[in-house]
Amino acid sequence: MLAVALEGNWRDEMAGDFRRVYGEEIASIGLDRKRKRRIEMFVGEDFAPRPRDPATGHPR
């Protein structure tokens, strides 16, 4: 699966749900003349989501 994190602080949490992660890239996309959006992408294989806290939805 190609995973894209628009906020870098979620990237590690997303990657933790896969047994294998590779092809990590960081890119910047221009939104207009003044603003850019940073994205972090990776390929994840063998999806195995970690248990989540039922109240917050975050990994335990």
Side-chain angles (χ1 to χ4, degrees), residues 29-36:
I29 297 181
L31 301 175
D32 58 29
R33 288 183 185 179
K34 295 181 181 180
R35 297 179 297 163
K36 291 182 181 180

Side-chain angles (χ1 to χ4, degrees), residues 10-50:
W10 293 104
R11 187 238 164 262
D12 292 337
E13 198 166 306
M14 290 171 56
D17 285 334
F18 295 92
R19 290 201 167 96
R20 182 171 180 230
V21 173
Y22 62 93
E24 299 170 65
E25 294 283 333
I26 297 174
S28 180
I29 297 181
L31 301 175
D32 58 29
R33 288 183 185 179
K34 295 181 181 180
R35 297 179 297 163
K36 291 182 181 180
R37 166 112 354 140
R38 175 188 162 110
I39 60 173
E40 297 185 26
M41 301 172 281
F42 63 87
V43 174
E45 289 184 347
D46 199 10
F47 185 61
R50 295 177 289 172

Side-chain angles (χ1 to χ4, degrees), residues 44-60:
E45 289 184 347
D46 199 10
F47 185 61
R50 295 177 289 172
R52 299 288 199 258
D53 180 292
T56 65
H58 296 289
R60 294 181 183 165

